[in-house]
Short mmCIF file of all heavy atoms in Angstrom, two decimals:
data_model
loop_
_atom_site.label_atom_id
_atom_site.label_comp_id
_atom_site.label_asym_id
_atom_site.label_seq_id
_atom_site.Cartn_x
_atom_site.Cartn_y
_atom_site.Cartn_z
N ASP A 186 -9.08 7.21 3.73
CA ASP A 186 -10.51 7.12 4.19
C ASP A 186 -11.15 8.43 3.84
O ASP A 186 -10.62 9.48 4.18
CB ASP A 186 -10.57 6.80 5.63
CG ASP A 186 -11.99 6.48 6.07
OD1 ASP A 186 -12.78 7.45 6.01
OD2 ASP A 186 -12.30 5.46 6.55
N VAL A 187 -12.32 8.42 3.23
CA VAL A 187 -13.10 9.64 2.90
C VAL A 187 -14.49 9.40 3.54
O VAL A 187 -15.20 8.48 3.15
CB VAL A 187 -13.24 9.92 1.42
CG1 VAL A 187 -14.20 11.14 1.20
CG2 VAL A 187 -11.83 10.20 0.82
N ARG A 188 -14.84 10.15 4.54
CA ARG A 188 -15.98 9.84 5.35
C ARG A 188 -17.01 10.98 5.26
O ARG A 188 -16.62 12.11 5.58
CB ARG A 188 -15.70 9.59 6.83
CG ARG A 188 -16.80 8.99 7.60
CD ARG A 188 -16.35 8.24 8.77
NE ARG A 188 -15.54 7.14 8.36
CZ ARG A 188 -15.79 5.85 8.56
NH1 ARG A 188 -16.93 5.53 9.28
NH2 ARG A 188 -14.97 4.88 8.15
N PRO A 189 -18.23 10.71 4.78
CA PRO A 189 -19.23 11.84 4.81
C PRO A 189 -19.53 12.35 6.20
O PRO A 189 -19.47 11.61 7.20
CB PRO A 189 -20.47 11.12 4.22
CG PRO A 189 -20.07 9.96 3.46
CD PRO A 189 -18.77 9.49 4.19
N TYR A 190 -19.78 13.73 6.23
CA TYR A 190 -19.92 14.40 7.54
C TYR A 190 -20.89 15.49 7.29
O TYR A 190 -20.67 16.33 6.43
CB TYR A 190 -18.54 14.87 8.00
CG TYR A 190 -18.51 15.68 9.30
CD1 TYR A 190 -18.60 14.99 10.54
CD2 TYR A 190 -18.40 17.08 9.26
CE1 TYR A 190 -18.57 15.79 11.73
CE2 TYR A 190 -18.25 17.80 10.47
CZ TYR A 190 -18.39 17.15 11.63
OH TYR A 190 -18.33 17.85 12.84
N TRP A 198 -20.20 17.53 3.82
CA TRP A 198 -18.71 17.61 3.86
C TRP A 198 -18.16 16.22 3.88
O TRP A 198 -18.88 15.15 4.08
CB TRP A 198 -18.34 18.36 5.09
CG TRP A 198 -18.70 19.79 5.16
CD1 TRP A 198 -18.90 20.62 4.09
CD2 TRP A 198 -18.76 20.67 6.36
NE1 TRP A 198 -19.18 21.86 4.53
CE2 TRP A 198 -19.11 21.91 5.87
CE3 TRP A 198 -18.60 20.37 7.65
CZ2 TRP A 198 -19.27 23.00 6.75
CZ3 TRP A 198 -18.81 21.44 8.61
CH2 TRP A 198 -19.09 22.72 8.12
N TRP A 199 -16.88 16.15 3.65
CA TRP A 199 -16.14 14.89 3.74
C TRP A 199 -14.90 15.01 4.54
O TRP A 199 -14.13 16.02 4.25
CB TRP A 199 -15.88 14.34 2.36
CG TRP A 199 -17.11 13.98 1.62
CD1 TRP A 199 -17.80 12.85 1.62
CD2 TRP A 199 -17.90 14.94 0.76
NE1 TRP A 199 -18.88 12.90 0.82
CE2 TRP A 199 -19.00 14.17 0.37
CE3 TRP A 199 -17.72 16.19 0.40
CZ2 TRP A 199 -20.00 14.77 -0.51
CZ3 TRP A 199 -18.65 16.73 -0.44
CH2 TRP A 199 -19.80 16.09 -0.87
N ILE A 200 -14.60 14.08 5.53
CA ILE A 200 -13.45 14.21 6.28
C ILE A 200 -12.49 13.13 5.85
O ILE A 200 -12.84 11.97 5.70
CB ILE A 200 -13.79 14.02 7.84
CG1 ILE A 200 -14.86 14.97 8.24
CG2 ILE A 200 -12.50 14.22 8.68
CD1 ILE A 200 -14.55 16.44 8.08
N VAL A 201 -11.29 13.60 5.57
CA VAL A 201 -10.22 12.63 5.02
C VAL A 201 -9.36 12.23 6.21
O VAL A 201 -8.98 12.98 7.09
CB VAL A 201 -9.38 13.30 3.96
CG1 VAL A 201 -8.32 12.31 3.45
CG2 VAL A 201 -10.31 13.83 2.81
N SER A 202 -8.97 10.93 6.23
CA SER A 202 -8.01 10.46 7.27
C SER A 202 -7.23 9.32 6.72
O SER A 202 -7.51 8.77 5.58
CB SER A 202 -8.82 10.07 8.49
OG SER A 202 -9.67 8.96 8.25
N ALA A 207 -10.55 6.35 10.61
CA ALA A 207 -11.62 7.27 10.60
C ALA A 207 -12.22 7.57 11.95
O ALA A 207 -12.57 8.66 12.22
CB ALA A 207 -12.59 6.90 9.56
N LEU A 227 -6.05 10.60 12.40
CA LEU A 227 -7.36 10.14 12.59
C LEU A 227 -8.45 11.03 12.09
O LEU A 227 -8.27 12.29 11.79
CB LEU A 227 -7.65 9.99 14.09
CG LEU A 227 -7.27 8.64 14.78
CD1 LEU A 227 -5.76 8.43 14.62
CD2 LEU A 227 -7.71 8.64 16.16
N GLY A 228 -9.68 10.55 11.86
CA GLY A 228 -10.77 11.26 11.31
C GLY A 228 -11.79 11.68 12.41
O GLY A 228 -11.37 12.08 13.48
N VAL A 229 -13.04 11.59 12.15
CA VAL A 229 -14.06 12.00 12.99
C VAL A 229 -14.13 11.11 14.15
O VAL A 229 -14.20 9.85 14.02
CB VAL A 229 -15.45 12.02 12.28
CG1 VAL A 229 -16.49 12.55 13.23
CG2 VAL A 229 -15.34 12.98 11.06
N SER A 255 -7.12 16.11 11.04
CA SER A 255 -7.74 15.96 9.74
C SER A 255 -8.52 17.27 9.31
O SER A 255 -9.14 17.16 8.19
CB SER A 255 -8.70 14.71 9.70
OG SER A 255 -9.63 14.80 10.75
N GLY A 256 -8.47 18.22 10.03
CA GLY A 256 -8.96 19.53 9.60
C GLY A 256 -10.47 19.77 9.99
O GLY A 256 -11.10 20.78 9.46
N ILE A 257 -11.05 19.00 10.85
CA ILE A 257 -12.47 19.17 11.12
C ILE A 257 -12.77 20.45 11.71
O ILE A 257 -13.74 21.12 11.32
CB ILE A 257 -12.88 18.01 12.12
CG1 ILE A 257 -12.68 16.66 11.53
CG2 ILE A 257 -14.35 18.20 12.47
CD1 ILE A 257 -12.74 15.52 12.49
N LEU A 260 -12.44 23.30 9.14
CA LEU A 260 -13.60 23.22 8.26
C LEU A 260 -14.77 23.98 8.85
O LEU A 260 -15.46 24.78 8.20
CB LEU A 260 -14.00 21.76 7.95
CG LEU A 260 -15.17 21.55 6.98
CD1 LEU A 260 -14.97 22.22 5.67
CD2 LEU A 260 -15.33 20.05 6.83
N ILE A 281 -3.39 16.22 5.01
CA ILE A 281 -4.80 15.67 5.06
C ILE A 281 -5.84 16.70 5.28
O ILE A 281 -6.91 16.68 4.73
CB ILE A 281 -4.79 14.50 6.13
CG1 ILE A 281 -4.09 13.28 5.45
CG2 ILE A 281 -6.22 14.19 6.48
CD1 ILE A 281 -4.10 12.08 6.40
N THR A 285 -9.28 17.62 3.28
CA THR A 285 -10.57 17.80 3.83
C THR A 285 -11.19 19.06 3.42
O THR A 285 -12.47 19.16 2.97
CB THR A 285 -10.48 17.70 5.41
OG1 THR A 285 -10.23 16.35 5.77
CG2 THR A 285 -11.89 18.10 6.02
N LEU A 288 -11.93 18.99 -0.52
CA LEU A 288 -13.03 18.14 -1.01
C LEU A 288 -14.39 18.67 -0.47
O LEU A 288 -15.43 18.35 -1.11
CB LEU A 288 -12.80 16.67 -0.49
CG LEU A 288 -13.68 15.58 -1.02
CD1 LEU A 288 -13.59 15.53 -2.51
CD2 LEU A 288 -13.27 14.26 -0.37
N SER A 289 -14.35 19.34 0.60
CA SER A 289 -15.65 19.76 1.26
C SER A 289 -16.06 21.15 0.68
O SER A 289 -17.06 21.79 1.07
CB SER A 289 -15.53 19.92 2.74
OG SER A 289 -15.30 18.59 3.29
#
Side-chain angles (χ1 to χ4, degrees):
D186 186 296
V187 177
R188 188 154 301 240
Y190 178 75
W198 292 339
W199 295 271
I200 307 302
V201 182
S202 64
L227 271 63
V229 180
S255 57
I257 300 167
L260 178 57
I281 284 182
T285 290
L288 190 57
S289 298

